[in-house]
Amino acid sequence: MKKFSTLVAAATLATLMSGTAWSKTLVYCSEASPEGFDPGLYTGGQTFDASSRTVYNRLVEFKHGGTEIEPGLAESWQVSADGTVYTFKLRKGVKFQTTDFFTPTRELNADDVIFSFERQYKADNAWNKYVAGASWEYLTGMGFPELIKSIDKVDDLTVKFVLNKPEAPFLANLGMDFASIMSKEYADKLQADGKMELLNQQPLGTGPFAFVAYQPDAAIRYKANPDYWHGKEKIDDLVFAITTDAAVRAQKLKAGECHVMPYPNAADVDELKKDPNLTVIEQEGLNVAYLAYNTTQAPFDKPEVRKALNMAVNKQAIVDAVFQGAAKVAKNPIPPIMWGYNNAVEDDKYDPEAAKKMLTDAGVSGLKMKIWAMPVSRPYMLNARRAAELMQSDLAKIGVEVEIVSYEWAEYLKLSKEKTRDGAVILGWTGDNGDPDNFLDTLLGCNAVGGNNRSQWCSKEFDDLVKKAKVTSDIAERTKLYEQAQVVFKREAPWNTIDHSVGFIPVSKKVTGFKMDPLGIHRFDGVDIEE
């Protein structure tokens, strides 16, 4: 039976990986399995690549390869003088994808927009808890439940968002993955059939590619959407070949088994650059990697303890070992290429002796702690296990005993959110919209405790500054407030900020039109490949 099952799995994978004889197929060696296919439920980049950026669209979109907003499913919009009412005019004639599992009978309308958001913030909505433990991490962490007064249907092609207060980054936030627009008709059919869970397993949207099939931890298959409102893609078939090991991804790319790969090992970049069949695209990342202490748990509830641990870690050694120079040490929670960055902030100096004394002065001795190491490569942290080992060695020098733990990626993300989590977790972030709010409030705001705020840190002083910055559209004033917030962050040290990385994406020279994205996503609309 086991042999038969293996043969069936192999046959299924072969079917997923192959296109028809006359089709144009692009294979992307993705780094991890998606957590699911409903982008509102998750925050992982591999999930967004597999769902929101292939299957779905949003009211507004980011220009390919940049952070500038452009029309998406909304062809135009108006904002009231007081900044609290956004009225969107939807495109006419936008069709949802026709698949083997659903055939739509109508085009996109305001009902779909309202459904896509209300399910995430209305507790009495039938879809609010359709997945066990659903927390709608992005929408909740960004304060949307408190922000949105109502979402109203003006007519079939006009929808109005009424806010309780002005929100400077609101439009950019609507370009983010959680704001993907789903088919209410499809959801209604699943609900009527008692199969609501399929919304997270068989996605259906208006985007460039339609979902075909998924072999867990192996491959995802898509086909070009022939009815795409932006025009059918040049690629006929798109395959995500899930390959968790960076070295194996590189081997597959060199062998021509895939055409694009993310997150190569730093040690492999030079060799990949020398391959005449490849182009290695590089870009300074809009990202940060960090070690988040659980600030609700003793002794990590004391800022002086957190700062002592920070001072004991040689971050430059981590950057050198993990990135081989393709990163810089981080001192702030936002990257230096982002507006609002406070360069006047001074980092916690690497000083083991001072760190040891600070721990003693805080009454801490014989400390044992866990450091969580991510099991996958991310742009901001290519090898978390290696980084954790270096931290373990550094902290041992000041008498702190470290146990390194890890979990499967989806479980890691889930467990690391828990308010009772022990130890400190290595994680990071790539900006979603080019606004400092997407780092400072999304990752460190009080709203995000129990979600994206892995440090469980709620500082009224910090939160007030960040929330004040939301309600003004004056960039100079927002910059001043964000600079002040970074001073508070550094004083309180809920994280040890580790690095900001340079990203690399090796691509086959057969591929044209692929752009590296500062938001860390991988898009295949507008991409072509030589046959």
Side-chain angles (χ1 to χ4, degrees), residues 395-412:
L395 290 169
K397 296 170 185 175
I398 66 165
V400 176
E401 183 180 332
V402 170
E403 176 189 357
I404 300 172
V405 299
S406 191
Y407 301 89
E408 183 272 329
W409 185 220
E411 191 73 359
Y412 186 97

Side-chain angles (χ1 to χ4, degrees), residues 219-246:
I220 316 168
R221 173 78 177 276
Y222 309 88
K223 63 180 180 181
N225 175 11
D227 300 318
Y228 186 37
W229 58 271
H230 215 32
K232 181 184 175 295
E233 294 298 326
K234 295 176 182 178
I235 300 168
D236 297 301
D237 294 284
L238 173 64
V239 177
F240 280 34
I242 298 163
T243 312
T244 57
D245 188 290

